[in-house]
Amino acid sequence: MRSLIDIKELSTQEIDELIAVAKDIISDPAKYSEKCKGKKLATLFYEASTRTRLSFEAAMYELGGNVLGFSSADNSSASKGESVADTVRVCSGYADIIAMRHPKEGAPLVASMHSLVPIINAGDGGHNHPTQTLTDLLTINREKGRFENLVVGLCGDLKFGRTVHSLIGAMARYNNVKFVLISPDELKVPSYIKQELDKDGVEYVETRSLEDAIPELDILYMTRVQRERFFNEEDYLRLKDTYILNMSKLEKAKEDLSILHPLPRVNEISVEIDNDKRACYFEQALNGKYIRMALIMKLLGVE
Amino acid sequence: MILNTITNGVVLDHIQAGGAMDIYKALNLDKLGCQVAIIKNATSVKMGRKDILKICEPIDINLDVLGYLAPGVTVNIIKDGKVAERRHIDPPETIKDVIRCTNPRCITSIEQELPNIFKLTDKENLVYRCIYCESKCKKHGDIK
Ligand SMILES: [Zn+2]
Protein backbone atom coordinates (compact mmCIF):
# COMPACT_ATOMS: atom_id res chain seq x y z
CA MET A 1 0.00 0.00 0.00
CA ARG A 2 1.46 3.30 -1.06
CA SER A 3 0.59 6.93 -0.33
CA LEU A 4 1.78 10.17 -1.90
CA ILE A 5 2.73 12.80 0.65
CA ASP A 6 5.67 14.56 -1.04
CA ILE A 7 6.52 14.74 -4.76
CA LYS A 8 10.08 13.65 -3.90
CA GLU A 9 8.72 10.16 -3.15
CA LEU A 10 8.14 9.63 -6.87
CA SER A 11 11.03 8.55 -9.08
CA THR A 12 11.53 10.26 -12.41
CA GLN A 13 10.38 7.08 -14.11
CA GLU A 14 7.18 7.02 -12.05
CA ILE A 15 6.46 10.65 -12.91
CA ASP A 16 7.00 9.88 -16.60
CA GLU A 17 4.61 6.93 -16.31
CA LEU A 18 1.93 9.05 -14.64
CA ILE A 19 2.28 11.66 -17.39
CA ALA A 20 1.98 8.96 -20.05
CA VAL A 21 -1.20 7.55 -18.45
CA ALA A 22 -2.70 11.04 -18.10
CA LYS A 23 -2.05 11.73 -21.78
CA ASP A 24 -3.64 8.43 -22.71
CA ILE A 25 -6.71 9.32 -20.61
CA ILE A 26 -6.95 12.63 -22.48
CA SER A 27 -6.81 10.89 -25.83
CA ASP A 28 -9.34 8.19 -24.94
CA PRO A 29 -11.35 8.98 -21.79
CA ALA A 30 -13.97 6.31 -22.49
CA LYS A 31 -11.37 3.59 -22.00
CA TYR A 32 -10.99 4.71 -18.38
CA SER A 33 -14.61 5.37 -17.48
CA GLU A 34 -15.02 2.18 -15.45
CA LYS A 35 -11.50 1.65 -14.16
CA CYS A 36 -12.49 2.45 -10.57
CA LYS A 37 -16.02 1.11 -10.64
CA GLY A 38 -17.13 0.15 -7.14
CA LYS A 39 -14.27 2.11 -5.51
CA LYS A 40 -14.68 5.09 -3.23
CA LEU A 41 -12.53 8.17 -2.74
CA ALA A 42 -12.87 10.01 0.58
CA THR A 43 -12.02 13.71 0.41
CA LEU A 44 -11.10 14.79 3.94
CA PHE A 45 -10.71 18.54 3.62
CA TYR A 46 -9.99 20.20 6.96
CA GLU A 47 -9.85 23.54 5.20
CA ALA A 48 -11.81 24.69 2.21
CA SER A 49 -10.14 24.37 -1.16
CA THR A 50 -13.01 24.00 -3.54
CA ARG A 51 -10.87 23.90 -6.65
CA THR A 52 -8.64 21.06 -5.48
CA ARG A 53 -11.52 19.08 -3.99
CA LEU A 54 -13.63 19.32 -7.14
CA SER A 55 -10.66 18.25 -9.21
CA PHE A 56 -10.22 15.10 -7.09
CA GLU A 57 -13.94 14.38 -7.12
CA ALA A 58 -14.28 14.86 -10.87
CA ALA A 59 -11.25 12.60 -11.36
CA MET A 60 -12.84 9.80 -9.34
CA TYR A 61 -16.23 10.16 -11.03
CA GLU A 62 -14.61 10.01 -14.46
CA LEU A 63 -12.98 6.74 -13.44
CA GLY A 64 -16.43 5.38 -12.60
CA GLY A 65 -15.88 5.56 -8.84
CA ASN A 66 -17.74 7.28 -6.04
CA VAL A 67 -16.87 10.05 -3.64
CA LEU A 68 -17.62 10.83 0.01
CA GLY A 69 -16.11 13.22 2.51
CA PHE A 70 -16.22 16.62 4.15
CA SER A 71 -15.14 20.00 2.88
CA SER A 72 -14.22 21.97 5.99
CA ALA A 73 -13.28 21.26 9.57
CA ASP A 74 -16.45 22.96 10.93
CA ASN A 75 -18.78 20.17 9.94
CA SER A 76 -16.47 17.26 10.65
CA SER A 77 -15.32 15.27 13.65
CA ALA A 78 -12.24 17.50 13.81
CA SER A 79 -14.41 20.26 15.23
CA LYS A 80 -15.13 17.91 18.14
CA GLY A 81 -11.41 17.52 18.71
CA GLU A 82 -10.82 14.13 17.12
CA SER A 83 -7.22 13.50 16.07
CA VAL A 84 -6.20 13.05 12.45
CA ALA A 85 -5.07 9.51 13.29
CA ASP A 86 -8.49 8.52 14.67
CA THR A 87 -10.45 10.14 11.82
CA VAL A 88 -8.29 8.31 9.30
CA ARG A 89 -8.56 4.95 11.06
CA VAL A 90 -12.34 5.27 10.82
CA CYS A 91 -12.50 6.66 7.28
CA SER A 92 -10.11 4.10 5.85
CA GLY A 93 -12.82 1.55 6.63
CA TYR A 94 -15.26 3.44 4.43
CA ALA A 95 -13.13 4.32 1.42
CA ASP A 96 -10.52 2.74 -0.84
CA ILE A 97 -8.36 5.86 -1.08
CA ILE A 98 -8.24 9.21 0.75
CA ALA A 99 -7.33 12.71 -0.42
CA MET A 100 -6.53 14.93 2.56
CA ARG A 101 -6.18 18.70 2.82
CA HIS A 102 -5.15 20.12 6.17
CA PRO A 103 -3.99 23.55 7.37
CA LYS A 104 -1.20 22.02 9.49
CA GLU A 105 2.05 20.79 7.99
CA GLY A 106 2.56 17.04 8.22
CA ALA A 107 -1.09 16.08 8.90
CA PRO A 108 -1.29 13.87 5.76
CA LEU A 109 1.92 12.10 6.83
CA VAL A 110 0.31 11.36 10.20
CA ALA A 111 -2.72 10.08 8.30
CA SER A 112 -0.58 7.77 6.14
CA MET A 113 0.94 6.25 9.28
CA HIS A 114 -2.48 5.14 10.53
CA SER A 115 -4.46 4.52 7.36
CA LEU A 116 -5.35 1.15 5.89
CA VAL A 117 -5.75 2.73 2.44
CA PRO A 118 -3.54 5.08 0.34
CA ILE A 119 -3.43 8.74 1.34
CA ILE A 120 -2.92 11.53 -1.19
CA ASN A 121 -1.71 14.81 0.24
CA ALA A 122 -4.02 17.43 -1.25
CA GLY A 123 -2.05 20.24 0.41
CA ASP A 124 -0.82 20.62 4.00
CA GLY A 125 -0.57 24.31 4.82
CA GLY A 126 2.20 25.87 2.76
CA HIS A 127 4.22 22.66 2.95
CA ASN A 128 3.60 20.02 0.26
CA HIS A 129 1.12 19.87 -2.58
CA PRO A 130 2.33 17.04 -4.82
CA THR A 131 -0.71 16.90 -7.11
CA GLN A 132 -0.18 20.59 -7.97
CA THR A 133 3.38 19.80 -9.01
CA LEU A 134 2.20 16.82 -11.08
CA THR A 135 -0.36 19.12 -12.69
CA ASP A 136 2.37 21.63 -13.55
CA LEU A 137 4.56 18.89 -15.00
CA LEU A 138 1.77 17.47 -17.15
CA THR A 139 1.03 20.96 -18.46
CA ILE A 140 4.68 21.62 -19.35
CA ASN A 141 4.94 18.23 -21.00
CA ARG A 142 1.77 18.68 -23.04
CA GLU A 143 2.79 22.17 -24.11
CA LYS A 144 6.38 21.40 -24.99
CA GLY A 145 6.39 17.66 -25.59
CA ARG A 146 9.44 17.34 -23.35
CA PHE A 147 11.05 18.33 -20.05
CA GLU A 148 14.61 18.69 -21.36
CA ASN A 149 16.22 21.78 -22.92
CA LEU A 150 13.85 24.38 -21.47
CA VAL A 151 14.31 27.82 -19.99
CA VAL A 152 11.84 28.00 -17.11
CA GLY A 153 11.00 31.39 -15.63
CA LEU A 154 9.38 31.56 -12.20
CA CYS A 155 7.97 34.91 -11.20
CA GLY A 156 6.56 36.50 -8.06
CA ASP A 157 6.77 35.09 -4.55
CA LEU A 158 9.61 32.62 -4.80
CA LYS A 159 10.36 32.68 -1.09
CA PHE A 160 7.18 31.33 0.47
CA GLY A 161 5.67 29.64 -2.58
CA ARG A 162 6.24 25.95 -1.96
CA THR A 163 4.60 25.12 -5.27
CA VAL A 164 7.52 26.92 -6.90
CA HIS A 165 10.07 25.06 -4.77
CA SER A 166 8.57 21.67 -5.63
CA LEU A 167 8.44 22.51 -9.32
CA ILE A 168 12.10 23.57 -9.31
CA GLY A 169 13.02 20.30 -7.57
CA ALA A 170 11.04 18.23 -10.06
CA MET A 171 12.25 20.04 -13.21
CA ALA A 172 15.89 20.06 -12.04
CA ARG A 173 15.92 16.30 -12.54
CA TYR A 174 15.86 16.74 -16.32
CA ASN A 175 18.75 17.59 -18.64
CA ASN A 176 19.60 21.11 -19.68
CA VAL A 177 16.85 22.93 -17.83
CA LYS A 178 17.73 26.52 -16.95
CA PHE A 179 15.81 28.47 -14.33
CA VAL A 180 15.24 32.22 -14.40
CA LEU A 181 14.14 33.30 -10.93
CA ILE A 182 12.23 36.59 -11.14
CA SER A 183 11.27 38.24 -7.86
CA PRO A 184 11.76 41.27 -5.64
CA ASP A 185 14.72 40.99 -3.25
CA GLU A 186 12.30 40.39 -0.39
CA LEU A 187 10.88 37.28 -2.02
CA LYS A 188 13.91 35.52 -3.50
CA VAL A 189 14.24 31.74 -3.62
CA PRO A 190 15.61 30.44 -0.27
CA SER A 191 19.34 29.75 -0.27
CA TYR A 192 18.97 26.03 0.45
CA ILE A 193 17.26 25.58 -2.92
CA LYS A 194 20.02 27.45 -4.71
CA GLN A 195 22.59 25.30 -2.90
CA GLU A 196 20.88 22.18 -4.22
CA LEU A 197 20.90 23.57 -7.75
CA ASP A 198 24.59 24.44 -7.40
CA LYS A 199 25.35 20.97 -6.09
CA ASP A 200 23.59 19.33 -9.03
CA GLY A 201 25.17 21.71 -11.54
CA VAL A 202 21.83 23.17 -12.63
CA GLU A 203 21.99 26.57 -14.30
CA TYR A 204 19.95 29.46 -12.87
CA VAL A 205 19.92 33.25 -12.79
CA GLU A 206 18.17 35.62 -10.42
CA THR A 207 16.66 38.88 -11.58
CA ARG A 208 14.22 41.52 -10.41
CA SER A 209 12.94 42.38 -13.85
CA LEU A 210 10.23 40.37 -15.55
CA GLU A 211 10.60 42.51 -18.66
CA ASP A 212 14.31 41.79 -19.00
CA ALA A 213 13.86 38.08 -18.41
CA ILE A 214 10.90 37.39 -20.63
CA PRO A 215 12.52 37.13 -24.12
CA GLU A 216 14.50 33.95 -23.38
CA LEU A 217 11.76 32.02 -21.59
CA ASP A 218 10.05 28.85 -22.83
CA ILE A 219 7.88 28.58 -19.71
CA LEU A 220 6.70 31.39 -17.46
CA TYR A 221 5.26 30.26 -14.14
CA MET A 222 3.48 33.18 -12.46
CA THR A 223 2.62 33.36 -8.77
CA ARG A 224 0.93 35.92 -6.63
CA VAL A 225 2.83 38.55 -4.67
CA GLN A 226 0.83 38.78 -1.45
CA ARG A 227 0.45 41.93 0.58
CA GLU A 228 1.02 40.14 3.88
CA ARG A 229 4.53 39.12 2.81
CA PHE A 230 5.76 42.71 3.06
CA PHE A 231 6.78 44.64 6.12
CA ASN A 232 5.21 47.82 4.92
CA GLU A 233 2.52 48.92 2.51
CA GLU A 234 4.92 51.18 0.60
CA ASP A 235 7.16 48.32 -0.53
CA TYR A 236 4.15 46.31 -1.54
CA LEU A 237 2.63 49.10 -3.62
CA ARG A 238 6.00 49.88 -5.19
CA LEU A 239 6.54 46.27 -6.27
CA LYS A 240 3.21 44.76 -6.99
CA ASP A 241 2.77 46.14 -10.50
CA THR A 242 6.27 45.08 -11.47
CA TYR A 243 5.14 41.47 -11.33
CA ILE A 244 1.89 41.80 -13.20
CA LEU A 245 1.94 40.19 -16.61
CA ASN A 246 0.21 42.24 -19.28
CA MET A 247 0.24 42.50 -23.07
CA SER A 248 3.01 45.08 -23.21
CA LYS A 249 5.38 42.89 -21.16
CA LEU A 250 4.46 39.97 -23.39
CA GLU A 251 5.51 41.81 -26.55
CA LYS A 252 9.12 40.65 -26.33
CA ALA A 253 8.23 37.07 -25.39
CA LYS A 254 8.73 34.04 -27.62
CA GLU A 255 5.86 33.06 -29.88
CA ASP A 256 5.65 29.66 -28.21
CA LEU A 257 6.02 30.79 -24.59
CA SER A 258 3.73 28.85 -22.22
CA ILE A 259 2.28 30.86 -19.32
CA LEU A 260 1.33 28.85 -16.24
CA HIS A 261 -0.29 29.84 -12.95
CA PRO A 262 -1.51 27.54 -10.15
CA LEU A 263 -4.67 29.66 -9.78
CA PRO A 264 -6.55 31.35 -8.27
CA ARG A 265 -5.05 34.55 -9.63
CA VAL A 266 -5.88 37.93 -8.28
CA ASN A 267 -4.42 40.48 -10.67
CA GLU A 268 -0.95 39.16 -11.46
CA ILE A 269 -2.02 38.10 -14.94
CA SER A 270 -4.05 40.69 -16.76
CA VAL A 271 -7.31 39.27 -18.21
CA GLU A 272 -6.32 40.65 -21.63
CA ILE A 273 -3.89 37.72 -21.85
CA ASP A 274 -6.53 35.04 -21.30
CA ASN A 275 -7.25 34.74 -25.02
CA ASP A 276 -3.62 34.78 -26.08
CA LYS A 277 -2.51 31.36 -27.29
CA ARG A 278 0.39 31.45 -24.85
CA ALA A 279 -1.95 31.42 -21.82
CA CYS A 280 -2.11 27.85 -20.47
CA TYR A 281 -3.48 28.32 -16.96
CA PHE A 282 -7.00 27.18 -17.66
CA GLU A 283 -5.75 24.08 -19.50
CA GLN A 284 -3.47 23.60 -16.52
CA ALA A 285 -6.47 23.40 -14.18
CA LEU A 286 -8.05 20.81 -16.46
CA ASN A 287 -4.78 18.87 -16.56
CA GLY A 288 -5.06 18.65 -12.78
CA LYS A 289 -8.05 16.37 -13.14
CA TYR A 290 -6.31 14.05 -15.61
CA ILE A 291 -3.13 13.66 -13.59
CA ARG A 292 -5.21 12.95 -10.48
CA MET A 293 -7.01 10.22 -12.41
CA ALA A 294 -3.65 8.68 -13.29
CA LEU A 295 -2.47 8.98 -9.69
CA ILE A 296 -5.62 7.44 -8.18
CA MET A 297 -5.26 4.49 -10.56
CA LYS A 298 -1.60 4.05 -9.69
CA LEU A 299 -2.14 4.12 -5.94
CA LEU A 300 -5.13 1.76 -6.17
CA GLY A 301 -3.08 -0.59 -8.32
CA VAL A 302 -5.57 -0.38 -11.19
CA GLU A 303 -4.06 -1.23 -14.55
CA MET B 1 40.11 11.77 44.55
CA ILE B 2 36.84 9.85 44.38
CA LEU B 3 36.74 10.43 40.62
CA ASN B 4 39.24 7.72 39.96
CA THR B 5 37.67 5.14 42.17
CA ILE B 6 34.32 4.35 40.55
CA THR B 7 33.54 0.69 41.15
CA ASN B 8 30.32 0.44 39.20
CA GLY B 9 29.04 3.26 37.07
CA VAL B 10 29.31 5.22 33.86
CA VAL B 11 31.87 7.71 32.60
CA LEU B 12 30.97 10.00 29.71
CA ASP B 13 34.18 11.15 28.15
CA HIS B 14 35.14 13.47 25.28
CA ILE B 15 32.27 15.87 25.80
CA GLN B 16 32.91 19.16 24.05
CA ALA B 17 34.13 21.70 26.61
CA GLY B 18 31.14 23.53 28.04
CA GLY B 19 28.67 20.80 27.08
CA ALA B 20 28.51 18.83 30.33
CA MET B 21 25.75 20.82 32.01
CA ASP B 22 23.38 20.42 29.04
CA ILE B 23 23.88 16.66 29.15
CA TYR B 24 23.54 16.62 32.94
CA LYS B 25 20.13 18.24 32.61
CA ALA B 26 18.93 16.35 29.53
CA LEU B 27 19.78 12.95 31.02
CA ASN B 28 18.07 13.96 34.30
CA LEU B 29 21.22 13.27 36.29
CA ASP B 30 19.99 15.79 38.88
CA LYS B 31 17.37 13.19 39.85
CA LEU B 32 19.99 10.61 40.80
CA GLY B 33 20.77 9.92 44.46
CA CYS B 34 24.32 8.75 43.81
CA GLN B 35 27.47 10.80 43.39
CA VAL B 36 27.88 12.55 40.05
CA ALA B 37 31.02 14.46 39.13
CA ILE B 38 31.05 17.14 36.50
CA ILE B 39 34.56 17.82 35.33
CA LYS B 40 34.93 20.94 33.24
CA ASN B 41 37.78 21.91 30.97
CA ALA B 42 39.87 18.80 31.49
CA THR B 43 42.97 18.60 29.33
CA SER B 44 42.64 16.41 26.28
CA VAL B 45 45.24 15.43 23.72
CA LYS B 46 42.59 15.14 21.02
CA MET B 47 40.30 18.04 21.88
CA GLY B 48 42.45 20.53 23.79
CA ARG B 49 39.78 20.95 26.45
CA LYS B 50 36.92 18.60 27.20
CA ASP B 51 34.24 17.92 29.78
CA ILE B 52 33.71 14.62 31.57
CA LEU B 53 30.74 13.27 33.54
CA LYS B 54 31.25 10.52 36.10
CA ILE B 55 28.24 8.72 37.53
CA CYS B 56 28.83 6.40 40.47
CA GLU B 57 25.95 4.06 39.74
CA PRO B 58 25.21 1.73 36.80
CA ILE B 59 22.40 3.56 35.00
CA ASP B 60 20.81 3.26 31.58
CA ILE B 61 21.80 6.22 29.44
CA ASN B 62 19.38 7.44 26.76
CA LEU B 63 21.81 7.15 23.89
CA ASP B 64 19.53 9.08 21.51
CA VAL B 65 19.60 12.10 23.78
CA LEU B 66 23.32 11.74 24.32
CA GLY B 67 24.14 11.18 20.64
CA TYR B 68 22.05 14.16 19.63
CA LEU B 69 23.52 16.52 22.22
CA ALA B 70 27.09 15.29 22.14
CA PRO B 71 27.97 13.37 18.98
CA GLY B 72 31.42 11.85 19.33
CA VAL B 73 31.13 11.30 23.07
CA THR B 74 32.55 8.09 24.57
CA VAL B 75 30.52 6.04 27.02
CA ASN B 76 32.56 3.92 29.42
CA ILE B 77 30.71 1.34 31.49
CA ILE B 78 32.67 0.67 34.67
CA LYS B 79 32.27 -2.72 36.37
CA ASP B 80 34.30 -3.80 39.40
CA GLY B 81 36.58 -0.85 38.94
CA LYS B 82 37.42 -1.70 35.33
CA VAL B 83 36.18 -0.43 31.99
CA ALA B 84 33.86 -3.25 30.95
CA GLU B 85 32.62 -1.61 27.79
CA ARG B 86 33.63 1.44 25.78
CA ARG B 87 31.36 2.85 23.12
CA HIS B 88 31.80 5.72 20.75
CA ILE B 89 28.42 7.38 20.20
CA ASP B 90 27.53 8.58 16.70
CA PRO B 91 24.69 11.01 16.08
CA PRO B 92 21.47 8.94 15.85
CA GLU B 93 19.63 8.77 12.51
CA THR B 94 16.28 9.30 14.19
CA ILE B 95 15.40 10.76 17.55
CA LYS B 96 12.01 10.31 19.15
CA ASP B 97 10.67 12.55 21.87
CA VAL B 98 14.07 14.08 22.58
CA ILE B 99 13.34 17.49 21.15
CA ARG B 100 10.11 19.23 20.31
CA CYS B 101 9.11 20.88 17.05
CA THR B 102 8.60 24.60 17.56
CA ASN B 103 7.01 25.37 14.18
CA PRO B 104 3.54 26.77 14.98
CA ARG B 105 2.26 25.49 11.63
CA CYS B 106 3.30 21.90 12.39
CA ILE B 107 0.65 19.25 13.10
CA THR B 108 2.45 18.53 16.41
CA SER B 109 1.47 22.02 17.58
CA ILE B 110 -2.20 21.00 17.78
CA GLU B 111 -1.90 17.25 18.37
CA GLN B 112 0.26 17.03 21.48
CA GLU B 113 0.06 13.23 21.76
CA LEU B 114 1.97 12.73 18.49
CA PRO B 115 5.54 11.53 18.99
CA ASN B 116 8.10 14.22 18.14
CA ILE B 117 10.32 12.50 15.62
CA PHE B 118 13.34 14.14 13.99
CA LYS B 119 15.57 12.73 11.28
CA LEU B 120 19.22 13.50 10.64
CA THR B 121 19.10 15.06 7.17
CA ASP B 122 22.57 16.60 6.97
CA LYS B 123 25.34 14.52 8.56
CA GLU B 124 28.04 17.11 7.94
CA ASN B 125 26.30 19.93 9.76
CA LEU B 126 24.26 17.67 12.07
CA VAL B 127 20.93 19.08 10.96
CA TYR B 128 17.83 17.37 12.30
CA ARG B 129 14.44 17.99 10.72
CA CYS B 130 10.93 17.28 11.99
CA ILE B 131 9.46 14.38 9.97
CA TYR B 132 6.07 16.12 9.78
CA CYS B 133 6.86 19.69 8.70
CA GLU B 134 10.58 19.31 7.82
CA SER B 135 11.52 22.31 9.96
CA LYS B 136 15.08 22.40 11.22
CA CYS B 137 15.32 22.04 14.97
CA LYS B 138 17.13 24.71 16.86
CA LYS B 139 20.02 22.96 18.51
CA HIS B 140 19.63 22.50 22.26
CA GLY B 141 16.76 24.95 22.46
CA ASP B 142 13.93 22.48 22.15
CA ILE B 143 14.90 19.68 24.53
CA LYS B 144 11.71 18.13 25.89
ZN1 LIG C 1 7.25 19.92 12.86
Side-chain angles (χ1 to χ4, degrees):
Chain A
M1 206 261 317
R2 174 132 183 233
S3 292
L4 179 63
I5 305 302
D6 181 338
I7 190 76
K8 293 196 287 285
E9 296 161 11
L10 292 173
S11 69
T12 308
Q13 192 195 335
E14 285 176 312
I15 289 176
D16 292 346
E17 282 163 9
L18 284 170
I19 302 260
V21 173
K23 285 163 110 174
D24 196 54
I25 294 171
I26 294 165
S27 68
D28 188 3
K31 197 167 102 190
Y32 293 85
S33 65
E34 297 202 335
K35 288 282 185 192
C36 290
K37 204 176 172 191
K39 306 252 189 227
K40 283 169 290 186
L41 164 76
T43 49
L44 310 186
F45 275 50
Y46 288 80
E47 68 177 357
S49 175
T50 311
R51 190 179 307 272
T52 305
R53 185 171 54 85
L54 293 183
S55 178
F56 270 107
E57 295 186 357
M60 194 56 173
Y61 282 127
E62 290 194 22
L63 290 167
N66 283 298
V67 173
L68 63 160
F70 55 83
S71 55
S72 80
D74 319 331
N75 51 18
S76 76
S77 50
S79 61
K80 301 187 188 82
E82 189 178 53
S83 69
V84 166
D86 282 5
T87 303
V88 156
R89 279 192 194 103
V90 172
C91 289
S92 62
Y94 301 152
D96 301 283
I97 187 164
I98 292 171
M100 177 182 282
R101 175 100 169 187
H102 200 289
K104 292 292 180 183
E105 299 174 3
L109 178 68
V110 173
S112 72
M113 291 165 150
H114 297 97
S115 177
L116 303 169
V117 302
I119 302 282
I120 301 173
N121 182 358
D124 55 340
H127 184 214
N128 282 316
H129 195 359
T131 57
Q132 179 65 54
T133 308
L134 288 171
T135 299
D136 300 340
L137 291 172
L138 175 59
T139 306
I140 290 170
N141 194 276
R142 286 189 73 196
E143 289 297 319
K144 300 296 175 209
R146 65 177 195 275
F147 289 123
E148 294 81 12
N149 310 316
L150 292 172
V151 179
V152 181
L154 300 123
C155 176
D157 178 359
L158 307 186
K159 183 175 182 184
F160 298 99
R162 289 287 188 115
T163 322
V164 166
H165 304 165
S166 299
L167 184 60
I168 293 174
M171 285 298 290
R173 300 176 182 195
Y174 297 95
N175 287 331
N176 197 24
V177 171
K178 177 185 171 183
F179 295 101
V180 181
L181 310 170
I182 310 151
S183 72
D185 287 340
E186 292 87 337
L187 298 175
K188 278 162 81 169
V189 166
S191 52
Y192 77 91
I193 291 186
K194 285 181 264 182
Q195 282 162 13
E196 276 170 29
L197 292 176
D198 287 334
K199 202 177 74 195
D200 298 338
V202 179
E203 194 184 344
Y204 65 89
V205 290
E206 292 185 285
T207 173
R208 276 181 305 219
S209 168
L210 175 57
E211 271 167 310
D212 292 350
I214 217 164
E216 69 162 325
L217 304 180
D218 298 308
I219 306 281
L220 173 56
Y221 196 94
M222 294 292 297
T223 64
R224 188 148 49 104
V225 173
Q226 286 169 286
R227 189 181 298 255
E228 55 268 32
R229 301 298 189 204
F230 288 89
F231 288 117
N232 60 63
E233 188 76 5
E234 250 169 68
D235 286 345
Y236 171 72
L237 292 174
R238 175 172 53 82
L239 289 164
K240 72 175 170 75
D241 292 342
T242 323
Y243 301 100
I244 291 179
L245 186 63
N246 54 25
M247 269 303 177
S248 78
K249 289 201 185 86
L250 209 50
E251 258 168 32
K252 287 184 220 137
K254 283 186 184 170
E255 276 302 303
D256 66 344
L257 171 71
S258 303
I259 304 162
L260 278 71
H261 189 297
L263 301 181
R265 74 171 152 186
V266 176
N267 63 348
E268 56 278 11
I269 300 179
S270 164
V271 290
E272 64 190 8
I273 290 175
D274 292 357
N275 292 321
D276 191 287
K277 64 177 176 23
R278 289 167 286 193
C280 302
Y281 29 94
F282 293 116
E283 283 90 342
Q284 188 182 356
L286 187 57
N287 286 333
K289 179 183 72 181
Y290 295 120
I291 200 72
R292 287 180 177 99
M293 289 172 77
L295 180 65
I296 289 169
M297 283 175 55
K298 178 184 169 67
L299 297 181
L300 286 177
V302 175
E303 289 291 310
Chain B
M1 202 154 90
I2 185 167
L3 300 178
N4 298 319
T5 57
I6 292 179
T7 321
N8 291 300
V10 183
V11 176
L12 306 180
D13 200 356
H14 303 114
I15 300 167
Q16 204 132 54
M21 273 317 285
D22 281 342
I23 294 169
Y24 180 83
K25 280 185 219 141
L27 294 178
N28 297 318
L29 301 185
D30 54 333
K31 308 255 160 61
L32 292 177
C34 68
Q35 294 185 37
V36 177
I38 301 170
I39 302 161
K40 290 182 62 174
N41 298 320
T43 321
S44 161
V45 183
K46 248 192 344 193
M47 305 171 71
R49 301 237 167 243
K50 67 178 181 181
D51 287 2
I52 304 168
L53 277 168
K54 294 196 176 189
I55 305 149
C56 299
E57 193 172 273
I59 61 161
D60 279 333
I61 301 277
N62 185 332
L63 294 179
D64 280 355
V65 175
L66 187 64
Y68 168 70
L69 271 181
V73 74
T74 313
V75 178
N76 299 285
I77 311 285
I78 313 291
K79 274 186 189 147
D80 301 325
K82 291 192 194 100
V83 177
E85 195 188 333
R86 174 170 289 152
R87 277 181 70 184
H88 184 79
I89 305 299
D90 288 325
E93 290 292 326
T94 309
I95 47 175
K96 191 174 161 187
D97 290 331
V98 174
I99 44 175
R100 182 183 288 134
C101 183
T102 53
N103 173 7
R105 297 179 308 278
C106 181
I107 183 68
T108 58
S109 71
I110 57 164
E111 294 202 358
Q112 267 84 26
E113 72 286 3
L114 282 172
N116 271 265
I117 304 172
F118 282 75
K119 275 208 162 90
L120 181 60
T121 56
D122 179 349
K123 280 188 185 144
E124 232 166 276
N125 301 302
L126 293 177
V127 174
Y128 284 86
R129 285 182 188 273
C130 171
I131 62 158
Y132 306 106
C133 69
E134 297 177 83
S135 295
K136 256 191 231 180
C137 71
K138 290 174 201 77
K139 190 88 184 171
H140 296 202
D142 316 327
I143 296 280
K144 263 195 148 173

